[in-house]
Amino acid sequence: MNYFPDEVIEHVFDFVTSQKDRNAVSLVCKSWYKIERLSRQSVFIGNCYAISPERVIGRFPGLKSLTLKGKPHFADFNLLPYDWGGWVYPWVEALAKSRVGLEELRLKRMVVSDDCLELLSRSFVNFKSLVLVSCEGFTTDGLAAIAANCRYLRELDLQEIEVDDNRGQWISCFPDSCTSLVSLNFSCLKGEINLTALERLVARSPNLKSLRLNRAVPLDTLQKLLMRAPQLVDLGIGSFVYDPSSEAYIKLKATLVKCKSIRSLSGFLEVVPCCLSAIHPVCQNLTSLNLSYAPGIHGNELIKLIRFCRKLERLWILDSIGDRGLGVVAFTCKELQELRVFPSGVDNAAVTEEGLVAISAGCPKLHSLLYFCQQMTNAALITVAKNNSNFTRFRLCILDREKPDPVTMQPLDEGFGAIVQSCKRLRRLSLSGLLTDQVFLYIGMYAEQLEMLSIAFAGNSDKGMLYVLNGCKKLRKLEIRDSPFGNTALLTDVGKYETMRSLWMSSCEVTLGGCQTLAKKMPRLNVEIINEDDQMEFSLDDRQKVGKMYLYRTLVGPRKDAPDFVWTL
Amino acid sequence: MEGCSKTGEQACPQLLDLMAKERREWRVMRDGEASSSEEKKLELRLGPPGGEDKRWSLKDSTNRERDAHHHQYLLSLGYFSSTNNSNNNGFSFLHHHSSRSLPVMAKESSQPCCTKVADLQSPAEKKAFLSSAPAKNTAVPNSSQKRTAPAPVVGWPPIRSFRKNLAGASASKLPASESPNDVPSKTVNEKPAHEPGRKNPFVKINMDGVPIGRKVDLNAYDSYEKLSAAVDELFRGLLAAQRDSSAGGIVNKQEEEKAITGVLDGSGEYTLVYEDNEGDRMLVGDVPWHMFVSTVKRLRLLKSSEVSALSREKFGNSRQDKILA
């Protein structure tokens, strides 16, 4: 039913960029499906085991950018054994064999080997961008291969990765001809770096907009780099260790004043002494500030800094800022959209419900929250819900497991209930504190847009989980730990799981028999039992409780790379 | 601040009053909704539908009473039942949200799961739910009590290991993962540097008989004693696991873990040695701490029986001679 030639339709599709929209477009008719698939350049695969690389390449031969996610979210908290899976090598291998002109690869929670990086660097002439978040398995040798072989590299971005750092020489592997760098982030590397090579690299990268250094880059090098790259928009300071009377420090202060383009600041992996007055001139233009890796900065210094940051839209900080500091944020940062408060590990420097209430009252544009706190009350949550119904992401983590409202000693059901009722656009929710089945009733009733829910140490019975499965029609990811949900909850609506990406349940009440029943009924799910303690090896008793279960929908059946301790039922 | 620092009893009515003020205006605009006072309560408390005004007066109810009635309401709303669809009397909650069909009810016919859910609505269930509700409000349910053990738990609080390793001395409050599946390059919590210490403070440490090594941050300690304690902490679990796996027995962590002591004076089962910047293997403890930190390249825990050949007298003096020269 096309009234236009294919080329016109393809041109129209160029304006359709979001994956969701393109997926919708491809369902209209066969001809649109074909046009869409041939013109799709950017593919997002939320679970690398849901589909095979060959099928992706077969459908989207024009693929240029691939985003892959591997391990489930709880792997971040050591709930998944080290070699559970998520290897990206088969993907790179398949892409290399095909004629795909890969330009960008973004990976999250995947295992990347040096061999894989080497293969990647040699297989794609136009490769431009590598972004690795929370990945593992490689060393700086792999980075050296990327540096040396990717002639048009624009972006190398490593976030929250523990890399085995062999030598600091990988940075010298960028050839002199490489002048295309736009973004370089090696802040998570722990080892030495060749400072001269780094300076020369920055000097020959006129397009460099984002530079995040690791703790091995001292202050005088930082100053030299800033002189070479005054156009920087995003800066991650590695080491901020200085002698206030030194020439290096004085020079740095002067240089920073000239860096008028900086909009995003992070790092401060080492700060001695604790004074950040040199940074104050940069603050007035900042839209993003991440001091969550900087335990060396005291609350008072943070507060002084925040007072200058009127344009801040994104703030990641440690709880050493305290409720008082959050009050200052609420007063100063009226443009704030995203706030993350991480625990610093210091008991008396934590935040409570007071800080959150202040923020909700003072920051009308706030919609994304991650908040680690000592305590929370229902009254506060109800107030927050009243102040702000814009939340799309609301993740609250009360550090004491199952802690009730300290004022009323009640569970926090009502507070979270108010949040889900008020925030109609809520897509992601993490719960904590003392919670009964009631909170899940509210979630099932009100959280219509909810896509991801994280539950820990909550609920009383299967009803809780059932409320959620029945009520949240858009649920994609559900992760549960240490909650009393069992087979009834698991098996009541087995069809639901094919509408979701994945379900994680650990230390719950589901049994081996329950999981087996589910696996039998639903062949298009992989139901994996992760069995580290060898508990189940000697007894295949159906009534035995399962320690960890991870299930996900898939089009390609049980994965062939599962290690011994993973059973796919 | 909304008075959340006051007691719950005081705070709640205040909040409810605020809501009441807003709702009053809203109420005027709606036609003839007799039960909008319930709605305003519902807005805040997700409370019951209309009819029982006196019972539901805002200022009188205690939390407990509210909750008990609350549960009652939810059941009588017929969230799961099919009969209440047409019953509009007093179900203003439904009215108010009429545009949003309660998910379960709307899709009832097509989803078999709903009938199962409705089954939960049996009278016996109702009573059980009700009777247990007050109990929930006053006492922590048994299952919760079981779970509120103070012992640290893997993966709690839920932050990435990467973050845990960054925190300063105070990071001892953040429970490091107990899982033996740590990525090999896991590092020990480090203090913020008070002075620029050695350039790369992390040194590898291996233990005889344990295949997986660890890394320690020497800047985090200021004495040999602290290093020794850290070594014990790092390897105690691994050593126990190693012993158990070779013995083929069932792991019982509490009983099997022995402290690793006496690593500095030769009195323990293991002795701590190091490799210095000249490639020589040295006994730990001879030189001043700062000197040690600046020359050490890697550490090793040897079985003391092997070390006996390298007596302290023989090594210590010659090392000191080198320094003094």
Side-chain angles (χ1 to χ4, degrees):
Chain A
M1 283 274 193
N2 286 330
Y3 301 112
F4 304 107
D6 286 358
E7 297 80 30
V8 175
I9 300 191
E10 192 181 314
H11 183 64
V12 172
F13 287 177
D14 279 349
F15 296 97
V16 180
T17 45
S18 104
Q19 169 135 325
K20 262 196 198 149
D21 291 342
R22 288 200 75 114
N23 289 346
V25 150
S26 68
L27 292 174
V28 167
C29 63
K30 276 202 180 134
S31 139
W32 279 30
Y33 176 89
K34 182 174 155 219
I35 299 170
E36 194 283 317
R37 80 173 185 88
L38 292 175
S39 60
R40 172 112 56 136
Q41 295 192 337
S42 171
V43 175
F44 168 84
I45 309 276
N47 175 5
C48 64
Y49 289 120
I51 189 73
S52 72
E54 290 76 21
R55 283 176 68 166
V56 174
I57 295 165
R59 179 169 170 190
F60 303 113
L63 178 57
K64 288 209 169 60
S65 162
L66 180 63
T67 305
L68 283 173
K69 291 190 179 180
K71 304 186 192 185
H73 177 229
F74 276 177
D76 278 348
F77 317 132
N78 293 323
L79 286 179
L80 203 66
Y82 179 52
D83 40 356
W84 168 87
W87 292 282
V88 76
Y89 193 91
W91 286 82
V92 175
E93 197 180 32
L95 286 161
K97 281 198 191 127
S98 74
R99 275 181 289 160
V100 166
L102 192 70
E103 293 184 12
E104 182 178 280
L105 187 61
R106 312 166 79 91
L107 305 176
K108 187 167 185 181
R109 279 191 286 271
M110 294 199 76
V111 182
V112 186
S113 64
D114 283 343
D115 287 343
C116 176
L117 290 174
E118 170 93 21
L119 180 62
L120 181 69
S121 71
R122 291 195 188 284
S123 310
F124 308 104
V125 171
N126 280 324
F127 192 74
K128 295 192 171 74
S129 167
L130 181 64
V131 179
L132 304 177
V133 180
S134 207
C135 295
E136 65 194 352
F138 62 99
T139 73
T140 46
D141 290 349
L143 295 178
I146 297 284
N149 303 327
C150 300
R151 294 200 295 160
Y152 304 111
L153 193 69
R154 286 207 207 135
E155 182 176 19
L156 179 59
D157 186 356
L158 309 172
Q159 298 177 30
E160 307 220 337
I161 298 176
E162 312 232 15
V163 174
D164 228 349
D165 211 328
N166 294 339
R167 287 173 286 277
Q169 295 308 322
W170 66 275
I171 200 105
S172 328
C173 295
F174 283 100
D176 286 341
S177 55
C178 176
T179 57
S180 47
L181 268 186
V182 174
S183 166
L184 180 63
N185 174 7
F186 60 95
S187 52
C188 58
L189 295 187
K190 300 234 170 69
E192 297 303 312
I193 198 102
N194 184 326
L195 298 174
T196 321
L198 176 62
E199 281 178 53
R200 291 212 309 261
L201 178 63
V202 170
R204 63 177 186 276
S205 303
N207 298 321
L208 193 67
K209 290 277 185 302
S210 167
L211 180 63
R212 296 192 183 190
L213 309 166
N214 78 343
R215 62 175 74 233
V217 180
L219 207 81
D220 52 348
T221 308
L222 171 66
Q223 189 267 337
K224 288 186 208 151
L225 294 172
L226 289 176
M227 288 292 284
R228 301 251 194 221
Q231 76 282 3
L232 274 183
V233 171
D234 170 25
L235 174 65
I237 291 183
S239 160
F240 205 70
V241 174
Y242 61 98
D243 170 4
S245 57
S246 69
E247 199 187 317
Y249 181 63
I250 295 169
K251 262 198 202 164
L252 178 70
K253 280 210 286 193
T255 309
L256 276 171
V257 171
K258 288 194 220 135
C259 293
K260 302 229 178 275
S261 309
I262 295 182
R263 295 285 172 275
S264 165
L265 192 60
S266 62
F268 295 92
L269 310 172
E270 277 175 357
V271 183
V272 178
C274 186
C275 172
L276 292 176
S277 55
I279 305 298
H280 293 170
V282 178
C283 291
Q284 53 184 347
N285 291 324
L286 283 184
T287 55
S288 169
L289 179 62
N290 181 353
L291 296 175
S292 65
Y293 301 123
I297 307 179
H298 301 144
N300 287 333
E301 200 57 42
L302 287 174
I303 292 174
K304 271 194 244 169
L305 197 75
I306 298 284
R307 289 196 199 278
F308 292 97
C309 303
R310 294 186 172 280
K311 294 193 188 159
L312 219 52
E313 293 172 16
R314 195 159 85 118
L315 176 63
W316 289 27
I317 204 143
L318 292 174
D319 61 4
S320 42
I321 194 172
D323 286 332
R324 188 169 77 87
L326 289 176
V328 175
V329 173
F331 179 75
T332 313
C333 309
K334 296 302 181 190
E335 303 297 314
L336 197 65
Q337 297 179 21
E338 177 182 332
L339 174 68
R340 298 197 188 192
V341 181
F342 293 94
S344 60
V346 181
D347 251 344
N348 58 359
V351 293
T352 70
E353 74 275 10
E354 281 186 33
L356 184 59
V357 170
I359 293 283
S360 71
C363 304
K365 298 189 183 175
L366 187 70
H367 66 82
S368 172
L369 179 78
L370 171 59
Y371 196 76
F372 285 83
C373 57
Q374 285 294 339
Q375 62 181 47
M376 185 53 58
T377 63
N378 281 313
L381 283 173
I382 291 169
T383 308
V384 168
K386 196 167 73 70
N387 289 340
N388 186 334
S389 55
N390 296 328
F391 283 109
T392 54
R393 292 184 200 86
F394 192 88
R395 297 157 68 187
L396 188 71
C397 180
I398 301 164
L399 293 168
D400 263 349
R401 303 191 298 274
E402 297 176 277
K403 186 169 180 169
D405 178 331
V407 171
T408 63
M409 299 314 288
Q410 296 297 306
L412 291 174
D413 304 333
E414 299 304 312
F416 279 107
I419 294 285
V420 291
Q421 196 213 19
S422 159
C423 303
K424 307 205 191 307
R425 287 190 297 269
L426 194 69
R427 293 197 314 263
R428 183 168 180 182
L429 178 66
S430 298
L431 306 170
S432 59
L434 183 65
L435 295 165
T436 72
D437 286 344
Q438 189 71 6
V439 71
F440 300 113
L441 175 64
Y442 294 146
I443 292 172
M445 278 171 85
Y446 293 110
E448 296 190 344
Q449 301 299 319
L450 197 66
E451 295 178 4
M452 181 168 177
L453 179 62
S454 306
I455 300 171
F457 305 98
N460 308 110
S461 73
D462 285 341
K463 287 198 201 107
M465 186 168 161
L466 282 169
Y467 293 147
V468 171
L469 291 175
N470 290 337
C472 300
K473 295 304 173 194
K474 297 206 175 166
L475 196 64
R476 289 189 301 115
K477 288 180 278 185
L478 179 58
E479 47 187 24
I480 307 173
R481 65 166 294 182
D482 295 274
S483 302
F485 306 135
N487 293 340
T488 309
L490 184 69
L491 295 173
T492 297
D493 180 11
V494 294
K496 174 82 176 172
Y497 305 123
E498 271 192 11
T499 69
M500 292 166 56
R501 183 187 296 173
S502 65
L503 168 68
W504 169 281
M505 291 181 78
S506 60
S507 307
C508 297
E509 305 284 315
V510 293
T511 68
L512 184 56
C515 295
Q516 276 167 336
T517 308
L518 176 58
K520 239 184 253 161
K521 283 191 185 170
M522 303 296 296
R524 284 194 302 199
L525 297 180
N526 278 353
V527 180
E528 293 188 8
I529 309 292
I530 295 146
N531 179 23
E532 329 166 57
D533 293 338
D534 290 333
Q535 267 170 357
M536 289 165 121
E537 215 178 280
F538 303 108
S539 105
L540 291 167
D541 184 355
D542 276 3
R543 286 160 304 170
Q544 182 141 34
K545 287 202 195 138
V546 162
K548 295 177 185 176
M549 180 203 73
Y550 178 53
L551 69 82
Y552 51 91
R553 66 181 175 190
T554 178
L555 293 174
V556 291
R559 58 189 175 106
K560 299 186 183 55
D561 62 4
D564 288 339
F565 55 81
V566 172
W567 295 351
T568 306
L569 299 177
Chain B
M1 300 274 188
E2 296 281 349
C4 42
S5 50
K6 299 181 192 154
T7 65
E9 284 302 299
Q10 241 178 319
C12 286
Q14 267 183 352
L15 291 163
L16 289 168
D17 277 339
L18 280 166
M19 290 298 296
K21 269 188 221 136
E22 288 171 48
R23 287 293 150 210
R24 230 169 276 136
E25 285 156 344
W26 176 83
R27 199 202 316 180
V28 164
M29 296 194 296
R30 297 257 308 189
D31 322 314
E33 269 301 325
S35 36
S36 49
S37 62
E38 277 71 47
E39 278 163 335
K40 76 176 177 255
K41 289 169 231 164
L42 292 175
E43 275 309 299
L44 186 60
R45 296 275 311 156
L46 304 167
E52 300 137 313
D53 271 320
K54 283 175 198 158
R55 233 163 148 201
W56 295 104
S57 107
L58 295 170
K59 280 156 195 169
D60 296 335
S61 324
T62 60
N63 273 344
R64 181 180 167 173
E65 192 184 73
R66 262 204 293 269
D67 282 343
H69 292 305
H70 188 158
H71 295 306
Q72 213 170 34
Y73 147 68
L74 281 163
L75 292 164
S76 59
L77 167 64
Y79 178 68
F80 306 109
S81 102
S82 50
T83 56
N84 284 356
N85 240 333
S86 51
N87 181 1
N88 293 328
N89 188 22
F91 284 91
S92 53
F93 186 65
L94 268 182
H95 268 291
H96 177 60
H97 296 284
S98 59
S99 57
R100 180 221 327 276
S101 53
L102 291 175
V104 175
M105 296 176 76
K107 302 261 167 64
E108 235 177 84
S109 49
S110 51
Q111 286 185 359
C113 67
C114 289
T115 43
K116 292 241 170 111
V117 171
D119 283 341
L120 294 172
Q121 255 303 278
S122 68
E125 278 287 300
K126 241 196 241 193
K127 284 193 188 144
F129 193 62
L130 260 188
S131 58
S132 64
K136 276 178 210 158
N137 293 334
T138 49
V140 173
N142 281 341
S143 53
S144 295
Q145 273 172 341
K146 253 192 273 175
R147 292 199 301 267
T148 49
V153 142
V154 175
W156 192 268
I159 57 175
R160 287 184 182 146
S161 351
F162 184 82
R163 254 179 215 292
K164 281 188 192 155
N165 294 336
L166 288 172
S170 48
S172 54
K173 296 280 181 182
L174 291 169
S177 165
E178 296 175 359
S179 162
N181 296 307
D182 284 352
V183 177
S185 63
K186 195 135 295 248
T187 55
V188 168
N189 298 325
E190 57 177 296
K191 273 191 203 149
H194 292 296
E195 72 230 311
R198 45 179 290 134
K199 278 279 169 87
N200 180 6
F202 297 107
V203 288
K204 289 189 191 169
I205 172 165
N206 287 84
M207 183 168 193
D208 270 355
V210 178
I212 307 271
R214 306 294 301 266
K215 273 196 167 176
V216 279
D217 171 18
L218 292 171
N219 281 345
Y221 313 107
D222 56 14
S223 71
Y224 288 116
E225 282 66 46
K226 291 202 178 140
L227 174 62
S228 168
V231 162
D232 174 33
E233 209 183 297
L234 283 174
F235 280 102
R236 197 195 291 200
L238 285 174
L239 188 62
Q242 204 58 27
R243 285 200 170 121
D244 285 325
S245 67
S246 53
I250 297 167
V251 176
N252 185 344
K253 291 196 173 107
Q254 262 134 8
E255 283 170 36
E256 295 295 327
E257 279 183 21
K258 276 194 310 182
I260 303 168
T261 52
V263 297
L264 295 174
D265 57 10
S267 65
E269 203 182 320
Y270 291 87
T271 300
L272 195 55
V273 302
Y274 72 103
E275 185 183 302
D276 70 3
N277 52 1
E278 292 173 4
D280 298 320
R281 192 171 253 191
M282 316 292 295
L283 268 175
V284 164
D286 290 331
V287 301
W289 173 257
H290 287 116
M291 203 175 290
F292 165 69
V293 168
S294 61
T295 57
V296 60
K297 284 284 165 274
R298 53 191 305 166
L299 287 159
R300 194 168 183 90
L301 276 164
L302 291 184
K303 287 216 120 125
S304 297
S305 45
E306 285 176 24
V307 177
S308 60
L310 320 150
S311 71
R312 181 168 274 271
E313 317 280 307
K314 210 167 147 187
F315 251 96
N317 289 338
S318 58
R319 183 72 189 139
Q320 274 164 355
D321 287 340
K322 270 193 207 170
I323 294 154
L324 295 170

